[in-house]
Amino acid sequence: MAFTGDYAGAAAADLRAIEAIGGALEGSGKPFVSTGGTLPLAFGVRGRIGTEDDVLESGPRVDSEKAVIALGRRGVRSAVIRLAPTVHSSLDLHGFIPSLIAMARRNGFAAYVGEGSNRWPSLHTLDAVRLYRLALEAAPAGSRLHGVADEGVPSRHIAEAIGRGLGLPVASISADDANKHLGFLATFAQLDNPTSSTCTRELLRWQPTHPGLLADLAERHYFEPSP
């Protein structure tokens, strides 16, 4: 439903699923790991790097996160992994990076908004997989974890990497033109979302080891024709 434009409906369905799973697991002591995102922190944490201790009051994904955390008080070893907006690798076929690449092809240039100084955290898919395994095995009940390797990659640097990969120019666009050139990513592309995973790394002894976003883009698999 989220990809058909019914974001609120998708969030409501997600919350219902969490409540149903939580009810079935209540009192069992079994693990339950759910997925959130770091991007909501961009609306509530400004002027500093977001951490695992940051909690927002409410919101579609925030409500689901709080429901998962609450299961920790009901005998479920629950955890939420807040994933970076870009979980990248050759397995990433439909995420934000492929979407930005498709838009650059359509526009004839790779775009960033304004100075392009706003930052997105990122994580390699294989590092994310290991984090989920560690969370299932060892995360304490009620844990908020951050799936983040690069704390914040400036949007201008992402656009430049896409431009190099496609052999296209790179250009700054105004916020007023963002919808025209970036479509559904117009708002997200302007968010500043630097995010730390220091507490997660210490808690689970997790260390990302795979290439960061810009290095991954330089490997060119994102720009190869689809099989």
Side-chain angles (χ1 to χ4, degrees):
M1 287 188 292
F3 293 100
T4 62
D6 187 9
Y7 182 77
D14 183 55
L15 182 56
R16 289 195 300 271
I18 289 169
E19 291 170 343
I21 294 169
L25 293 177
E26 188 167 359
S28 69
K30 292 182 178 180
F32 174 46
V33 179
S34 182
T35 301
T38 66
L39 274 181
L41 295 179
F43 296 99
V45 177
R46 301 181 187 276
R48 63 174 176 81
I49 294 177
T51 73
E52 293 87 342
D53 292 331
D54 289 314
V55 181
L56 304 183
E57 287 296 321
S58 63
R61 300 196 77 175
V62 175
D63 294 342
S64 290
E65 176 181 300
K66 287 188 171 183
V68 174
I69 298 302
L71 292 175
R73 300 189 293 273
R74 295 165 55 191
V76 181
R77 191 162 56 78
S78 61
V80 172
I81 295 178
R82 293 170 172 167
L83 285 178
T86 52
V87 180
H88 58 87
S89 73
S90 59
L91 301 172
D92 176 22
L93 303 179
H94 305 290
F96 285 175
I97 295 300
S99 297
L100 287 171
I101 290 170
M103 291 170 186
R105 284 192 168 111
R106 184 194 67 206
N107 293 328
F109 65 93
Y112 61 89
V113 181
E115 296 181 355
S117 58
N118 62 296
R119 296 153 290 177
W120 276 5
S122 66
L123 179 67
H124 195 281
T125 302
L126 298 181
D127 288 318
V129 169
R130 185 164 181 269
L131 177 58
Y132 275 91
R133 178 177 66 80
L134 290 171
L136 281 168
E137 292 174 348
S143 296
R144 287 181 171 88
L145 308 170
H146 280 181
V148 169
D150 294 318
E151 288 189 349
V153 183
S155 62
R156 179 172 58 84
H157 294 179
I158 297 173
E160 289 170 346
I162 291 173
R164 285 192 295 271
L166 294 175
L168 291 175
V170 180
S172 170
I173 59 174
S174 69
D176 291 339
D177 287 335
N179 284 327
K180 175 182 176 182
H181 295 294
L182 297 176
F184 77 97
L185 279 176
T187 298
F188 297 136
Q190 301 177 66
L191 293 178
D192 191 34
N193 185 220
T195 305
S196 168
S197 61
T198 298
C199 293
T200 298
R201 298 183 195 212
E202 293 176 353
L203 178 66
L204 298 179
R205 297 184 180 179
W206 170 68
Q207 182 63 43
T209 59
H210 290 85
L213 175 58
L214 297 182
D216 201 15
L217 282 164
E219 292 183 5
R220 297 199 53 79
H221 58 81
Y222 272 109
F223 308 103
E224 296 172 355
S226 300

